[in-house]
Amino acid sequence: GADTREGHNIPFHQHSVVIFDEAHNVIDAITEIQSARVSLLDLDLVSKATKQYLERYEKRLSPQNLFQVKKYITILDRLASMITKHGNHNSGESHDAETKKKVFTTVEFLCQAQLEHLNMFQLESFITHSKLTLKLYGFAQKYTTSDDDALDKSDTKRSSFHAVVSLLHALTHPVDDGRLVLSGNELKFIMLNPAKEFESILSTAHAILFLGGTLSPKQYLLSRLMLNKQATASKPIVELSCGHVIPDNHLLPLIVPVGPSNQPLSFSFQHRSQTSVMDELGRLVLNVCRLVPGGLIIFSPSYAYESQVFGRWKDNGLLDQMVK
């Protein structure tokens, strides 16, 4: 994004050539970067720091800045209230938590939080130009009260302040760009329109190169980033495809519907986290390990699911059998 480029002093202009390697990950990367999440603890930390900051410096602030800081506190408190009201806080019901997530459009969420009348764009501009996030973090590190555990220096995290600002920015997106999800003690914004954030790069750069060995189907990439609509005679889409480094007779694609115990291998979102599915997958991988002496490379749909499966195999002993 523009803020990241400015923060790292990376020049970007009409003569720039932007190169994306492993470009099949571009859409997921944009979606992940533009998504945001904030926890109840994050909001508590930032709210208390801001209130103490206001208490100390209220008389030094101009009326306009005082108004914006108070608005910030109001938003923080109402976001926390929404999580407390709608979130599923029973950690013992992790399997049922998926069904208890609440999904909102931006407008629906702002109305339920009673924030629809507040100017988020104005507040975001104030936070950026006044460097309020850095001021609050520095204040929290220096002036936290000794009787306030939530603002103890060892617990105050810079990430909490940036997480809140990222969430506020997410609330300024058009209603079709994403959804807000309340789950447990977290509020998440999930970006659904990566083309929106890619538009500035596309309109400014001299050329953009997408490199990768697995870009097909290319139409998916073109449509999600709206490249087809942006292509012109002066900026055409040019494709170059080379032969694969692996001969055809070295490839054997197979679909495995069931595991060694004849249990279905269903990796839909609602089934893939079930222990029976992860165990059956582990037994299948173990059998393949015994047949393939040179080792395996296993790809996962996400890092989170990879960590979940790896942890399950470690707990039930399958991982130890695989490495033998």
Side-chain angles (χ1 to χ4, degrees), residues 253-268:
L254 297 172
I255 298 175
V256 184
V258 296
S261 303
N262 207 35
Q263 294 189 34
L265 292 171
S266 174
F267 295 101
S268 60

Side-chain angles (χ1 to χ4, degrees), residues 51-249:
K51 289 173 182 177
Q52 290 189 16
Y53 176 86
L54 181 62
E55 183 179 348
R56 187 178 185 89
Y57 296 113
E58 181 172 5
K59 294 183 179 179
R60 300 186 190 180
L61 297 173
S62 67
Q64 295 86 351
N65 290 352
L66 179 62
F67 173 75
Q68 293 299 334
V69 173
K70 288 184 176 180
K71 182 200 295 186
Y72 190 36
I73 292 173
T74 298
I75 292 172
L76 292 171
D77 290 344
R78 290 187 182 175
L79 291 177
S81 296
M82 283 290 288
I83 295 177
T84 303
K85 179 180 178 181
H86 294 285
N88 170 36
H89 308 292
N90 187 348
S91 58
E93 297 181 2
S94 57
H95 179 71
D96 296 330
E98 295 292 337
T99 61
K100 296 184 179 180
K101 288 181 179 179
K102 294 187 180 295
V103 181
F104 304 85
T105 65
T106 308
V107 173
E108 290 170 345
F109 182 84
L110 291 174
C111 289
Q112 289 205 30
Q114 298 180 341
L115 295 173
E116 74 282 0
H117 62 290
L118 298 181
N119 190 329
M120 295 290 181
F121 297 94
Q122 190 180 66
L123 176 61
E124 185 183 18
S125 177
F126 166 74
I127 291 173
T128 301
H129 291 97
S130 68
K131 295 181 170 57
L132 181 63
T133 299
L134 292 176
K135 292 177 181 178
L136 290 176
Y137 178 72
F139 173 84
Q141 293 295 96
K142 187 175 182 179
Y143 293 109
T144 53
T145 57
S146 59
D147 60 342
D148 194 341
D149 292 335
L151 285 175
D152 185 83
K153 293 179 183 179
S154 61
D155 295 330
T156 303
K157 305 294 184 182
R158 184 188 296 267
S159 59
S160 295
F161 291 89
H162 289 290
V164 171
V165 173
S166 296
L167 195 281
L168 290 181
H169 173 69
L171 293 175
T172 65
H173 282 292
V175 66
D176 292 332
D177 281 1
R179 292 292 183 268
L180 288 146
V181 180
L182 273 170
S183 176
N185 290 320
E186 280 192 336
L187 171 63
K188 305 175 187 177
F189 174 81
I190 300 175
M191 169 61 74
L192 301 179
N193 182 18
K196 178 71 175 180
E197 297 299 326
F198 197 73
E199 187 176 356
S200 62
I201 297 176
L202 198 60
S203 60
T204 303
H206 173 72
I208 302 174
L209 303 182
F210 296 93
L211 310 179
T214 54
L215 289 180
S216 295
K218 292 183 286 292
Q219 189 57 41
Y220 174 74
L221 179 67
L222 296 175
S223 62
R224 289 302 307 274
L225 296 181
M226 306 294 285
L227 300 180
N228 285 331
K229 293 186 178 180
Q230 297 290 336
T232 62
S234 60
K235 284 189 176 183
I237 297 175
V238 179
E239 298 181 18
L240 174 63
S241 180
C242 303
H244 206 288
V245 296
I246 300 176
D248 291 346
N249 61 354

